[in-house]
Amino acid sequence: MKYSTNQFLTLATYVALLFIGSLLSMVKVTGSAYFIVLTLAAILATGIMIYLTQKSSPNELEEKTDFNNKLQWVIIGTVGALIIQLGLGFIDQQIFHTSTDSANTMQLLTLVHAYPYYFAYVLICAPIMEEIIFRRVFFANLIKPTNIYWAAAISALFFAFMHQDTRFMIYVAMGLWFSFVYYKSKNIYVSAGSHLVMNTLVVMISMR
């Protein structure tokens, strides 16, 4: 399979998942049925995207690295992401007197509380898919026609826009950070692992 075809199919899988949510709303599927279908669709989409990533030839950023290197960057990525999110949230609160709580996170916590199985989408599927799309598809492929800085900025803006949260600039900063982690670690699963662990810790902190 050509690399370009692989990337197109990866993006198409993600778009199809987004369309399923819209389609369910259009046909007025709500409540538990809506979230069961969406969760199962997300698990399937994540599996397809991981399969396509595995079948894809490495791009110019990716290299084989040992386990210790991967683990080191997962830890660095997670700690850095937490510092950025909590630090910028605190600064935002001090300057603009806004809540440190993310509207997106609070909404997801409410949904997970009502539909516990939805955590599979929120905490596992979402970070994996987002890293593959925004870092491997957008960031990596935008470097050559632009440069690494523009590629990181554009992918981070798309990442922030898709979250539809009031703390837009914090999501931009997170997008830039995960691009850095992917670029330095040379492995998309490292940035995905960092993103996944960070999401889990933020949810645990928010639930206290």
Side-chain angles (χ1 to χ4, degrees):
M1 183 187 298
K2 289 183 179 179
Y3 179 79
S4 57
T5 303
N6 181 286
Q7 298 289 276
F8 173 78
L9 290 175
T10 301
L11 182 58
T13 301
Y14 187 67
V15 172
L17 177 63
L18 299 179
F19 179 75
I20 287 173
S22 300
L23 181 62
L24 290 172
S25 298
M26 286 172 58
V27 298
K28 302 189 185 305
V29 175
T30 58
S32 184
Y34 175 90
F35 289 102
I36 288 174
V37 173
L38 200 57
T39 301
L40 292 175
I43 293 171
L44 177 61
T46 303
I48 292 171
M49 290 168 67
I50 290 174
Y51 171 77
L52 289 169
T53 299
Q54 292 295 104
K55 296 297 287 185
S56 168
S57 55
N59 59 37
E60 294 181 359
L61 294 183
E62 296 170 345
E63 297 176 3
K64 288 186 177 181
T65 55
D66 60 34
F67 176 78
N68 288 336
N69 181 269
K70 293 184 180 75
L71 180 60
Q72 174 186 328
W73 274 105
V74 167
I75 295 170
I76 292 172
T78 301
V79 173
L82 287 171
I83 291 172
I84 290 170
Q85 184 160 161
L86 298 176
L88 290 181
F90 177 77
I91 292 170
D92 193 35
Q93 182 188 42
Q94 296 302 307
I95 296 175
F96 300 106
H97 305 291
T98 57
S99 171
T100 57
D101 294 330
S102 162
N104 181 62
T105 300
M106 291 301 102
Q107 181 183 29
L108 291 175
L109 282 174
T110 300
L111 292 173
V112 169
H113 181 75
Y115 311 103
Y117 48 82
Y118 192 54
F119 88 93
Y121 189 152
V122 175
L123 296 183
I124 301 174
C125 296
I128 294 173
M129 290 189 292
E130 287 172 359
E131 289 309 304
I132 291 174
I133 291 298
F134 296 107
R135 256 55 77 182
R136 195 171 197 269
V137 173
F138 284 128
F139 170 62
N141 289 308
L142 283 170
I143 292 175
K144 185 170 288 187
T146 59
N147 58 54
I148 190 170
Y149 305 106
W150 276 109
I154 293 169
S155 63
L157 287 170
F158 278 130
F159 175 71
F161 176 78
M162 287 300 297
H163 281 82
Q164 296 292 299
D165 195 278
T166 52
R167 304 193 311 166
F168 185 81
M169 292 311 299
I170 292 178
Y171 278 95
V172 171
M174 298 298 295
L176 292 172
W177 174 251
F178 286 127
S179 290
F180 172 76
V181 172
Y182 175 43
Y183 180 76
K184 296 296 289 185
S185 68
K186 313 297 184 185
N187 190 299
I188 193 61
Y189 296 114
V190 169
S191 60
S194 300
H195 194 159
L196 191 156
V197 175
M198 184 274 295
N199 275 12
T200 302
L201 292 175
V202 167
V203 167
M204 291 172 63
I205 292 169
S206 300
M207 291 177 68
R208 292 182 59 186

